Amino acid sequence: MGKIADILIFYVLPVMFTHSGLTLSSAISHKEDVYIEVPTMKINFYMMGKEDLDESTLHNLQLNMDYLNEEFEGKIKFTNEYYLTDNQSAYLPDIYKALLDLNDDWVDDIVSPIELQGSLNVFIFETYREEKKNAALMGFTPLLPLNQEDYGLISPEFDRMYIAYDGLKKKSTLVHEVGHFLGLKHPWEMNELKKQILGFNSKADELNNHMSYHHTVNKFTPEQLEHMRTFALKYRSYLFDETEWVAYNN
Ligand SMILES: [Zn+2]
């Protein structure tokens, strides 16, 4: 019995692999290459409240960049340009409140003298949990509600993103904020039609999507990726020097 089972497994498995291999190659041969324009966006990271580059944050940032590129599946590419440090410190919830209250001159005094033009500038600060809130603020991205064509004109003011050091431990924080930077909203901010257009077909699609707050987030829909790619080419083109045309089997 043992021998027959061994033989069966030995014989059956290669057949299954061969079969699936055939299916895959025949499926690809029927598809046509579609060329899409892929922008590459540069990112600078500013480690605030630090005198020197700190190894563990650097390592975390590299992991975050790898994950960001994975999750965009080659539709947009991200490269790291500079890591900078600055000893001025502030707390993320205070910055957020100041921007909301239009009382943000002090924030501008901290970030504008050091920010570079032509890249997405990610400022990393410490955070804290505010009273009566069950979680600390981990990141946010100031955006223009309308007139997105003005991003290039007023650059670099709206090329800023704020992330907490603790927010880098969960690699999805940066991905979520880049989603906002490239025109995506939270699922709960969209009507049913908009959700359908962006490829949300079920509640699970929403819960697992990078633009929700759920702990299981792990993907963008293909429609979101395409939306961000065209948004980047249209409204954030001043942030990349070059694009490349890449073939996709669609
Ligand atoms: Zn958000």
Side-chain angles (χ1 to χ4, degrees):
M1 281 298 280
K3 268 192 179 162
I4 291 170
D6 284 350
I7 290 164
L8 277 177
I9 288 167
F10 184 73
Y11 193 69
V12 168
L13 281 181
V15 170
M16 286 164 64
F17 284 132
T18 310
H19 180 71
S20 61
L22 278 177
T23 316
L24 192 67
S25 58
S26 65
I28 286 171
S29 67
H30 285 287
K31 290 178 178 174
E32 282 182 24
D33 281 349
V34 174
Y35 283 84
I36 63 163
E37 190 177 9
V38 174
T40 297
M41 191 172 280
K42 291 172 290 184
I43 306 186
N44 300 317
F45 291 102
Y46 300 77
M47 299 181 206
M48 304 303 291
K50 307 258 185 206
E51 297 281 350
D52 304 300
L53 288 177
D54 118 62
E55 282 301 320
S56 79
T57 307
L58 266 183
H59 180 66
N60 259 341
L61 286 174
Q62 274 149 15
L63 295 177
N64 273 265
M65 284 295 290
D66 291 346
Y67 186 62
L68 182 66
N69 275 304
E70 263 171 53
E71 295 306 280
F72 274 77
E73 300 176 17
K75 294 281 173 84
I76 300 175
K77 290 179 184 167
F78 301 91
T79 55
N80 171 243
E81 188 153 67
Y82 295 109
Y83 296 107
L84 301 103
T85 58
D86 193 282
N87 60 10
Q88 297 181 90
S89 57
Y91 289 93
L92 215 59
D94 301 340
I95 297 171
Y96 184 70
K97 227 172 286 157
L99 291 175
L100 279 188
D101 299 345
L102 302 177
N103 178 27
D104 58 330
D105 287 351
W106 66 270
V107 180
D108 218 61
D109 289 345
I110 293 177
V111 301
S112 70
I114 54 172
E115 71 191 335
L116 299 167
Q117 199 142 12
S119 315
L120 163 56
N121 291 315
V122 180
F123 294 92
I124 312 163
F125 287 95
E126 298 292 349
T127 192
Y128 62 86
R129 188 173 63 82
E130 293 166 271
E131 251 180 81
K132 293 177 191 162
K133 292 206 172 155
N134 53 14
L137 179 65
M138 289 300 170
F140 65 93
T141 307
L143 298 166
L144 292 175
L146 300 165
N147 306 335
Q148 288 146 332
E149 55 281 353
D150 289 349
Y151 279 131
L153 297 173
I154 55 178
S155 172
E157 197 184 336
F158 279 84
D159 306 337
R160 298 173 188 162
M161 181 179 289
Y162 298 89
I163 302 256
Y165 282 101
D166 281 347
L168 296 172
K169 292 176 186 161
K170 210 171 145 224
K171 292 179 290 185
S172 49
T173 309
L174 179 65
V175 176
H176 178 102
E177 293 308 324
V178 173
H180 284 315
F181 191 77
L182 298 176
L184 293 188
K185 292 191 164 135
H186 303 120
W188 60 88
E189 292 170 313
M190 298 187 283
N191 62 30
E192 286 307 312
L193 178 65
K194 184 79 186 164
K195 277 195 258 188
Q196 263 179 31
I197 291 170
L198 284 179
F200 292 92
N201 298 313
S202 65
K203 197 72 198 162
D205 281 347
E206 285 183 38
L207 289 181
N208 297 330
N209 194 272
H210 278 306
M211 297 319 290
S212 89
Y213 285 164
H214 205 247
H215 63 277
T216 58
V217 296
N218 61 10
K219 64 173 180 188
F220 286 121
T221 65
E223 290 84 355
Q224 282 176 307
L225 287 172
E226 187 52 24
H227 181 83
M228 288 188 282
R229 191 181 68 82
T230 49
F231 186 98
L233 290 168
K234 198 169 174 187
Y235 300 120
R236 297 290 197 180
S237 60
Y238 62 94
L239 292 181
F240 28 88
D241 306 329
E242 57 186 62
T243 61
E244 54 181 328
W245 288 86
V246 176
Y248 269 87
N249 290 112
N250 213 3

